[in-house]
Amino acid sequence: MIKRELYMSRIRPFIGSELIKVLTGLRRSGKSVMLDLIREELIASGISDKQFISLNFENMRNARLCTAEALRDEIQKQVSAITGKAYLFFDEIQEVDGWEKCVNSFRVEFDCDIYITGSNAKLLSGELATYLAGRYVEFIIYPFSFGELIELYQTIFPKTSRNDIFSKYLTIGGMPYLSNLRYADQPSQQYLQDLYNSVVLKDIVKRNNIRDVDLLERIIAYITANVGTAFSATSISKYLKSESRTVAPETILNYVKACEEAFLFYRVKRQDLQGKRILTINEKYFIADHGIREAVFGGNMKDINLILENIVFMELLRRGYKVTVGKTAAKEIDFVCEKQGQKLYVQVSYLLASEETIEREFGVYNSIRDNFPKYVISLDELDMSRNGIKHRNIRDFLLSPDWG
């Protein structure tokens, strides 16, 4: 188990505070492991393991506790036997009906420190905003970065070069459990297919009462095939019509939103950099883990440019950037990234194999007059930086601690 310090450094200041710590993200992205890491730190600081109460609500043994009343009675009984502060860990809390009231009650009634996880963005909407407004802090947990994969992969295969690990990363992605399979191709593919089915059935179909599963799967297939490509609900509607399925764009938007709420896809808006406004058409979508794309739909190496873009986008999210696609005149910048008043521009390409390609990728910055860092990222080993624009090999970029 690696320490995932990127997340621990963000969570650590809130450990022991009265704020409820909410960990969200794609199913099996490592939220439960983060709870274990938090417990380890608490025990190392002198907290007795007798002060912990941990429940996973996807475990059938806890099915009887999946109502607010039953859970409250059980926790009240267990807390009464604890001396000092109680540390409450609730995994996949969305399985508990009325959990918001229940958790808020614990916060008020008991001397406790609360941590919850969930695999749906709806966890932080609706009633939660009413009951817990201003009383929680959210951390989104993503699949492994390239750097995290190297750290874990080399504990299993110590002599593997980072270049070889990156080649593996392009096809299997970064789901944490793959280390238990020693990253073997066939078992990893089977696991990722099963994970995909679990996300679709449990976190999308079941939670949204979707009846037309075939339509949902067609929409997911379309988005997955077109990651990093601008399109609209109308585009999907026309595509489905060509497959003899007539579907209103509004229905498509609802299905896509359900996929976003399950953290399967991330939507990226387009920004007019000259008019300084957000555009409302032809947004882009990226998949949470490109390994799922390869296992279920294939084509990662055929669509290598899109996959590299997907990998860079997810790394930007991990590091806390707000990301849009930049439009300037007839050109587009892959990523305009903002964090704490600072900006970063990133253009992603497979290989800068010709002067025409070099001019195209670097030329997108011609109309950008500010002094924020501008990058062109590719698989090329040779540094082709020019005119103040930095060129980086994608492996170096992903592993760099600072992009300033």
Side-chain angles (χ1 to χ4, degrees):
M1 183 166 63
I2 63 173
K3 296 301 182 184
R4 307 205 80 177
E5 183 58 26
L6 176 70
Y7 303 104
M8 285 305 302
S9 64
R10 296 171 183 169
I11 296 169
R12 197 172 285 119
F14 298 96
I15 291 178
S17 76
E18 63 178 18
L19 291 174
I20 297 165
K21 277 64 71 175
V22 182
L23 280 60
T24 57
L26 181 71
R27 178 176 293 271
R28 303 186 201 167
S29 59
K31 300 184 296 295
S32 300
V33 170
M34 291 307 306
L35 294 185
D36 291 339
L37 291 172
I38 293 166
R39 273 193 291 265
E40 281 185 6
E41 289 221 355
L42 285 165
I43 289 171
S45 72
I47 303 300
S48 167
D49 57 6
K50 295 179 181 179
Q51 293 174 252
F52 296 102
I53 299 173
S54 300
L55 295 169
N56 184 332
F57 295 104
E58 287 199 321
N59 188 322
M60 282 300 295
R61 288 183 301 178
N62 296 321
R64 63 185 178 82
L65 301 177
C66 286
T67 65
E69 294 77 12
L71 180 59
R72 183 196 172 281
D73 290 346
E74 176 66 21
I75 296 302
Q76 185 176 40
K77 182 172 68 176
Q78 292 195 37
V79 167
S80 65
I82 291 175
T83 301
K85 185 187 286 286
Y87 294 84
L88 311 181
F89 293 81
F90 300 134
D91 217 348
E92 299 297 351
I93 191 72
Q94 75 274 355
E95 300 299 326
V96 178
D97 291 332
W99 69 268
E100 302 96 334
K101 297 178 184 178
C102 190
V103 169
N104 191 51
S105 178
F106 298 156
R107 187 188 63 78
V108 173
E109 287 185 72
F110 309 133
D111 178 15
C112 62
D113 188 15
I114 304 174
Y115 303 82
I116 63 177
T117 79
S119 300
N120 198 286
K122 282 185 176 177
L123 200 69
L124 295 176
S125 64
E127 281 194 276
L128 178 62
T130 301
Y131 287 102
L132 301 179
R135 300 186 180 97
Y136 69 86
V137 57
E138 179 194 13
F139 307 94
I140 301 177
I141 309 300
Y142 301 101
F144 280 164
S145 66
F146 176 47
E148 288 177 313
L149 182 68
I150 289 176
E151 185 180 349
L152 193 54
Y153 199 97
Q154 289 184 333
T155 64
I156 303 171
F157 307 106
K159 297 181 180 179
T160 313
S161 71
R162 71 174 199 173
N163 288 13
D164 288 342
I165 297 173
F166 188 73
S167 296
K168 192 82 169 175
Y169 187 53
L170 287 173
T171 55
I172 67 169
M175 294 308 296
Y177 188 80
L178 297 183
S179 64
N180 296 317
L181 304 174
R182 296 180 65 82
Y183 299 105
D185 289 337
Q186 189 56 44
S188 295
Q189 184 179 51
Q190 181 63 54
Y191 171 80
L192 292 170
Q193 289 171 350
D194 292 343
L195 168 60
Y196 166 79
N197 291 331
S198 181
V199 170
V200 171
L201 293 174
K202 289 186 178 180
D203 299 324
I204 301 176
V205 172
K206 180 183 174 184
R207 290 204 61 78
N208 295 278
N209 297 315
I210 290 175
R211 296 181 180 180
D212 195 340
V213 179
D214 176 70
L215 174 61
L216 173 67
E217 290 182 335
R218 286 171 186 250
I219 292 171
I220 291 175
Y222 182 92
I223 297 174
T224 302
N226 291 280
V227 292
T229 305
F231 59 84
S232 64
T234 303
S235 306
I236 303 179
S237 181
K238 288 178 180 177
Y239 161 74
L240 292 171
K241 191 172 183 180
S242 73
E243 292 199 335
S244 304
R245 290 295 306 262
T246 301
V247 186
E250 184 178 354
T251 301
I252 292 169
L253 285 173
N254 289 336
Y255 277 39
V256 173
K257 184 179 179 184
C259 294
E260 289 181 73
E261 288 171 343
F263 299 99
L264 180 61
F265 296 123
Y266 290 89
R267 176 167 51 111
V268 187
K269 295 181 179 180
R270 295 165 71 239
Q271 177 184 176
D272 184 337
L273 295 176
Q274 292 168 326
K276 296 184 179 179
R277 60 191 178 92
I278 297 295
L279 304 174
T280 57
I281 59 170
N282 292 340
E283 296 158 326
K284 290 188 178 184
Y285 290 84
F286 293 93
I287 192 166
D289 182 76
H290 58 279
I292 295 174
R293 183 187 194 269
E294 174 66 17
V296 179
F297 300 99
N300 275 13
M301 300 314 292
K302 177 173 67 71
D303 299 325
I304 183 68
N305 196 69
L306 298 179
I307 297 308
L308 295 179
E309 199 172 321
N310 203 114
I311 288 170
V312 170
F313 170 74
M314 291 305 300
E315 185 66 17
L316 292 166
L317 287 193
R318 283 187 195 93
R319 299 202 190 188
Y321 284 94
K322 178 183 177 183
V323 183
T324 57
V325 175
K327 183 181 180 300
T328 168
K331 297 178 179 178
E332 216 168 58
I333 298 171
D334 288 334
F335 302 122
V336 180
C337 321
E338 299 183 51
K339 181 170 69 172
Q340 298 175 349
Q342 298 298 306
K343 270 189 182 180
L344 184 75
Y345 299 94
V346 181
Q347 187 74 5
V348 183
S349 180
Y350 171 37
L351 290 170
L352 302 176
S354 67
E355 191 58 40
E356 180 185 358
T357 303
I358 293 171
E359 178 55 38
R360 183 184 68 240
E361 301 299 339
F362 282 85
V364 299
Y365 294 124
N366 287 344
S367 62
I368 307 298
R369 303 301 181 191
D370 63 39
N371 294 318
F372 291 114
K374 301 169 182 66
Y375 283 94
V376 173
I377 308 301
S378 74
L379 274 171
D380 298 279
E381 300 288 350
L382 184 65
D383 187 347
M384 303 184 199
S385 301
R386 58 178 65 186
N387 303 325
I389 300 167
K390 303 174 185 178
H391 171 246
R392 292 289 182 273
N393 173 274
I394 187 169
R395 294 181 293 266
D396 295 336
F397 182 78
L398 295 172
L399 297 175
S400 174
D402 180 27
W403 296 328

